[in-house]
Amino acid sequence: AGHGWTFGQVGGGVQEWRVGTPNTTFGAALSGANVLAWGPTSGTYQPSATCWAMSPPYSFVGAPYDPVVIFDIKFQTEDSWDGVYFQYTTNGGTTWTTLGTFGDPNGSNWYNGSPAYSPCLGIPMFIGTPGATTWRHAVRTLTGMAGQPCVQFRFMACCDGSVNYAGAAIDDFRIGYYPQKDIALTSINVGYATNRWAFVKQQSHTVSAVIQNNAWESNPTSVTLVYKVGSAPANAADGVAQTFTPAWAGSTATCIFT
């Protein structure tokens, strides 16, 4: 029923994690019909619901570099009090470490604040009511995980004893080897001037390049490409560099050399 995830609570708290349809506040799942959810299908989560959803174990033995965790999340919790955060263990659950910080440089959309009051004072988390309408695409490098033989992860929900909301919905959870930066050149196109006297009339041919962002980092606002007449550049310094401000269409953009 949990698709490999197991659920539990801390101390005498209430366990409200499940795999199923999202709370009606969040609308439909991002993919398929089900999500990993904290809270009921309608209404609000229970007070003092400090509980967890734990993943099956992962092995990163032989990993070429640290993997990356990616998921999409909607959340609606009490501002300054309740929220959801992400942890990992490398020792079978003896100790758990919260992954990342608010405004984390090793991630994207990773947490948006931390409670100002107990019971979760100061813990970075997904918190508040603004996250209920739009899926937040959260990404974080699993720093130091390459080579680890057994790693488990868990989402922790933490709240106080009053003022409750819809909770959280998590979809498209995945772990893999996704680079932070990876701009690929997919094609080069030449648009020839149609006039055979183009050289005499100083008409230009057009050379354009199609690029694609294959990384988890957001589409960059500036991309530098290097070209060389007669052969391909051997490296970034071998040729003429031109910097573009791409107009991205999804993950691709066309850059026209001038």
Side-chain angles (χ1 to χ4, degrees), residues 82-148:
D82 308 343
V84 174
Y85 54 103
F86 190 76
Q87 295 187 309
Y88 67 89
T89 179
T90 58
N91 55 19
T94 300
T95 57
W96 289 88
T97 301
T98 298
L99 181 68
T101 61
F102 171 44
D104 201 310
N106 295 311
S108 174
N109 293 320
W110 196 254
Y111 303 138
N112 67 312
S114 61
Y117 309 99
S118 58
C120 313
L121 178 64
I123 299 174
M125 57 177 59
F126 302 100
I127 185 172
T129 57
T133 57
T134 303
W135 288 101
R136 185 183 182 95
H137 188 65
V139 184
R140 178 58 160 79
T141 301
L142 296 172
T143 307
M145 293 297 102
Q148 290 288 343

Side-chain angles (χ1 to χ4, degrees), residues 17-230:
W17 284 99
R18 58 186 176 83
V19 171
T21 55
N23 189 291
T24 53
T25 296
F26 302 132
L30 184 61
S31 300
N34 293 330
V35 297
L36 179 64
W38 167 45
T41 56
S42 63
T44 63
Y45 51 79
Q46 296 295 311
S48 302
T50 303
C51 52
W52 47 261
M54 185 172 63
S55 76
Y58 288 80
S59 173
F60 301 119
V61 172
Y65 46 85
D66 286 337
V68 173
V69 59
I70 301 176
F71 56 84
D72 294 272
I73 182 170
K74 284 185 176 182
F75 51 95
Q76 187 192 58
T77 71
E78 182 185 8
D79 283 312
S80 298
W81 291 89
D82 308 343
V84 174
Y85 54 103
F86 190 76
Q87 295 187 309
Y88 67 89
T89 179
T90 58
N91 55 19
T94 300
T95 57
W96 289 88
T97 301
T98 298
L99 181 68
T101 61
F102 171 44
D104 201 310
N106 295 311
S108 174
N109 293 320
W110 196 254
Y111 303 138
N112 67 312
S114 61
Y117 309 99
S118 58
C120 313
L121 178 64
I123 299 174
M125 57 177 59
F126 302 100
I127 185 172
T129 57
T133 57
T134 303
W135 288 101
R136 185 183 182 95
H137 188 65
V139 184
R140 178 58 160 79
T141 301
L142 296 172
T143 307
M145 293 297 102
Q148 290 288 343
C150 184
V151 185
Q152 283 184 280
F153 304 94
R154 71 180 183 182
F155 288 96
M156 284 289 297
C158 182
C159 72
D160 68 344
S162 62
V163 188
N164 311 124
Y165 288 88
I170 296 155
D171 209 352
D172 289 352
F173 180 92
R174 56 205 183 275
I175 293 175
Y177 302 99
Y178 310 105
Q180 179 175 353
K181 299 179 183 294
D182 182 11
I183 303 298
L185 180 65
T186 61
S187 65
I188 295 288
N189 303 292
V190 179
Y192 293 100
T194 56
N195 194 314
R196 65 175 179 162
W197 297 101
F199 178 77
V200 174
K201 294 186 176 184
Q202 296 184 328
Q203 294 175 342
S204 299
H205 302 307
T206 301
V207 179
S208 62
V210 178
I211 58 175
Q212 180 168 317
N213 183 10
N214 295 322
W216 59 257
E217 192 174 65
S218 300
N219 293 333
T221 57
S222 177
V223 173
T224 299
L225 300 178
V226 176
Y227 69 88
K228 183 179 181 181
V229 177

